[in-house]
Amino acid sequence: MDLNALTAISPIDGRYRKQLQHLAEYFSEYALIRYRVRVEVEYFIALAEYKFFQLDASSQKSLRIIFETFSLENAESIKTFEQTTNHDVKAVEYFLKEILDTMQLGQYKEWVHFGLTSQDINNTAIPLLWKETLENEYYPAIANLNIMLKNLSNSWKAIPMLARTHGQPASPTLLGKEIMVFVERLTQQLNLIQQIPYSCKFGGATGNFNAHQVAFPLTNWIEFANAFCEEKLGLQRQQFTTQIEHYDNLAAQFDNMKRINTILIDLCRDMWTYISMDYFKQKTKAGEVGSSAMPHKVNPIDFENAEGNFGIANALFEHLSAKLPISRLQRDLTDSTVLRNIGMPFAHTILAIKSLEKGIGKLLLNETKIREDLENNWAVVAEAIQTVLRRENYPQPYEALKALTRGNVINEASITTFIEQLDISEVLKSELKNIKPWNYTGISDFGM
């Protein structure tokens, strides 16, 4: 069966292909090969710049064009080499050597992949593609979502709303402030993840530059490798490694993304609940069906889809962060097959963010229902009344309000009657009567 959107096993490359196909530039087999070529070319040029051989500026430019214009046909050529080598990185080496012959640079082709093992390429190519994915796709997506939430918060900062703790009516809040809870959480976690370095391994077969050192014992290979990784690739080279990178910082990024996804699951569930409480209506679109059986329904499917995809992403991030930092002795191959799947949780995360944004964009505030809930829950001002009475040193105010509110129907009239019966001044009675469910909302600073 030929592969297309309907025959793909994964919905990432099937049902959701149109929404996520741009991620193939980072996570496909083609993309991994392109990043490998990029690292090999930059390493070859760096060796020339270090004066191991001569390479003029024109040749350097031509070499960089190889990965800048890297095509699917180029990747297929490398896969053809792999049929013979049965080794994916060695196939890249042979591909580049063949190009050097066509560029009349064949005399330098043994400098391609000089002294390296395949993990020196994989453990720089993958961190590099991950770095560029986060910078180009993930950070902007979270930042844009956060801006969207902050704008909603500002729009709703004056909307009083009944809070619910343990599912029960609680001291009123502001709808905008409740949205700012998520803005603050996302802002803090985005700042945290951006502090985690992008780490790489570059040090030969077992991390000690054995082959480099035996060939050129007077060269400071550690200095060379540090400069190459940092200046050419923008990566932080780990100084003491086995054959592979530690993956500790990569695992930290996965864990941080998992934490952000968990925050957004929390948001999805809150929005879903507010919709079920009729605090929000949803915009409808002509032709769309909410239920195959019940014509009246407009289901909160965007929040449900987002929650589901965040959950799948987190399950995969959990495995990646737990598995990758573990490797037997100087290395086993388990990291290789696992690393090929880092695009899956990323894609599910991006898909979830898109669904969440779509759901938020459909929300229509139902102020009537929000106000109605406040009107029906006058008991929530009991906290305010007993606290003011405490201020006035009134005897046992908590117990008095407890007796009034527990198990009784409480409304404005019953609260007013209770206040009138208190042995307090008329000024204090007036102060207490001015406390309403819709103005007892505390303070919030929306300046962040």
Side-chain angles (χ1 to χ4, degrees):
M1 186 177 288
D2 292 335
L3 178 63
N4 64 36
L6 292 176
T7 61
I9 294 173
S10 166
I12 295 300
D13 289 313
R15 182 179 181 88
Y16 305 121
R17 178 70 182 178
K18 287 184 179 179
Q19 293 173 262
L20 300 168
Q21 58 187 347
H22 63 290
L23 298 181
E25 290 293 324
Y26 305 100
F27 296 119
S28 63
E29 180 78 1
Y30 155 81
L32 178 56
I33 293 171
R34 176 166 55 86
Y35 275 93
R36 285 170 172 159
V37 169
R38 179 173 166 183
V39 172
E40 291 279 15
V41 167
E42 290 293 357
Y43 176 60
F44 183 79
I45 293 173
L47 288 171
E49 291 175 342
Y50 211 75
K51 308 303 181 185
F52 285 109
F53 57 95
Q54 298 295 316
L55 200 64
D56 60 33
S58 177
S59 296
Q60 291 185 26
K61 182 177 180 180
S62 296
L63 285 167
R64 287 194 170 101
I65 288 174
I66 296 171
F67 65 76
E68 289 170 355
T69 62
F70 193 75
S71 66
L72 189 59
E73 290 72 23
N74 294 144
E76 288 170 345
S77 295
I78 291 173
K79 295 300 288 185
T80 300
F81 279 114
E82 189 180 338
Q83 292 175 8
T84 301
T85 64
N86 197 32
H87 194 288
D88 46 10
V89 176
K90 199 68 176 177
V92 172
E93 178 185 339
Y94 287 169
F95 169 77
L96 290 173
K97 285 180 174 179
E98 188 176 80
I99 290 179
L100 288 175
D101 282 334
T102 65
M103 294 175 62
Q104 307 304 312
L105 295 172
Q107 69 269 34
Y108 303 130
K109 65 184 180 182
E110 291 308 321
W111 288 100
V112 176
H113 203 71
F114 178 79
L116 301 181
T117 187
S118 58
Q119 283 308 106
D120 293 313
I121 302 304
N122 288 330
N123 282 166
T124 46
I126 291 173
L128 182 56
L129 70 83
W130 181 251
K131 174 179 183 288
E132 294 186 349
T133 309
L134 292 192
E135 292 175 348
N136 297 338
E137 303 292 337
Y138 183 69
Y139 295 156
I142 295 297
N144 288 339
L145 175 60
N146 220 14
I147 290 170
M148 189 178 194
L149 291 173
K150 192 169 184 180
N151 288 340
L152 284 182
S153 176
N154 286 328
S155 298
W156 297 337
K157 65 183 180 182
I159 303 295
M161 180 182 76
L162 184 69
R164 292 180 183 271
T165 57
H166 310 280
Q168 306 302 308
S171 298
T173 185
L174 296 169
L175 177 56
K177 172 259 171 176
E178 297 308 313
I179 302 301
M180 281 301 293
V181 169
F182 294 98
V183 173
E184 181 174 72
R185 294 172 73 185
L186 289 175
T187 299
Q188 291 174 347
Q189 292 304 316
L190 187 58
N191 290 339
L192 192 61
I193 191 174
Q194 289 174 326
Q195 295 175 33
I196 302 172
Y198 298 96
S199 302
C200 70
K201 178 266 176 179
F202 197 83
T206 55
N208 308 311
F209 296 102
N210 301 51
H212 294 81
Q213 186 69 10
V214 76
F216 293 95
L218 299 181
T219 299
N220 188 333
W221 286 108
I222 293 175
E223 180 183 87
F224 170 87
N226 288 344
F228 169 68
C229 292
E230 292 172 15
E231 296 170 14
K232 299 293 185 181
L233 306 178
L235 304 174
Q236 183 183 92
R237 178 180 169 271
Q238 298 295 300
Q239 301 301 300
F240 299 93
T241 68
T242 59
Q243 189 173 88
I244 64 175
E245 211 265 305
H246 313 317
Y247 301 121
D248 297 332
N249 286 332
L250 186 60
Q253 288 169 330
F254 292 152
D255 285 335
N256 206 316
M257 292 176 73
K258 182 160 66 76
R259 191 157 53 249
I260 290 173
N261 285 353
T262 298
I263 291 168
L264 294 175
I265 288 173
D266 198 20
L267 174 63
C268 288
R269 292 179 180 178
D270 276 7
M271 289 302 183
W272 187 97
T273 304
Y274 289 138
I275 291 170
S276 75
M277 294 161 61
D278 210 24
Y279 281 13
F280 293 115
K281 303 287 189 181
Q282 295 179 94
K283 296 175 185 176
T284 58
K285 186 176 180 180
E288 286 189 351
V289 175
S291 167
S292 62
M294 294 171 279
H296 68 282
K297 295 188 73 177
V298 182
N299 296 328
I301 58 172
D302 299 303
F303 296 105
E304 293 168 343
N305 285 341
E307 180 181 342
N309 280 291
F310 282 132
I312 291 173
N314 279 5
L316 293 169
F317 279 138
E318 175 71 24
H319 176 70
L320 289 166
S321 64
K323 187 272 149 300
L324 285 172
I326 300 172
S327 184
R328 297 171 182 86
L329 302 179
Q330 281 66 56
R331 93 151 300 186
D332 61 41
L333 201 66
T334 54
D335 65 308
S336 178
T337 188
V338 170
L339 278 172
R340 292 177 183 274
N341 291 280
I342 63 174
M344 293 299 292
F346 189 92
H348 280 289
T349 296
I350 295 299
L351 182 61
I353 291 171
K354 289 178 180 287
S355 294
L356 182 51
E357 289 177 334
K358 185 177 178 182
I360 291 171
K362 288 181 180 179
L363 294 177
L364 294 170
L365 184 63
N366 186 359
E367 289 191 65
T368 301
K369 176 60 178 177
I370 293 175
R371 178 71 176 219
E372 180 183 305
D373 263 9
L374 289 168
E375 290 275 10
N376 292 335
N377 284 280
W378 272 83
V380 296
V381 303
E383 178 193 44
I385 294 171
Q386 66 100 1
T387 303
V388 173
L389 291 175
R390 281 173 182 262
R391 182 194 74 194
E392 300 298 321
N393 203 27
Y394 188 89
Q396 295 187 305
Y398 176 85
E399 288 72 18
L401 269 298
K402 178 181 173 183
L404 170 70
T405 56
R406 284 203 173 183
N408 298 319
V409 175
I410 303 299
N411 52 34
E412 185 173 12
S414 60
I415 289 288
T416 300
T417 299
F418 172 81
I419 293 171
E420 285 293 343
Q421 293 172 352
L422 294 173
D423 184 16
I424 57 177
S425 70
E426 291 301 319
V427 173
L428 185 53
K429 287 181 180 179
S430 178
E431 179 183 350
L432 295 178
K433 289 176 184 177
N434 283 330
I435 300 172
K436 316 288 186 183
W438 48 89
N439 66 18
Y440 178 49
T441 55
I443 56 173
S444 296
D445 182 5
F446 288 82
M448 70 173 288

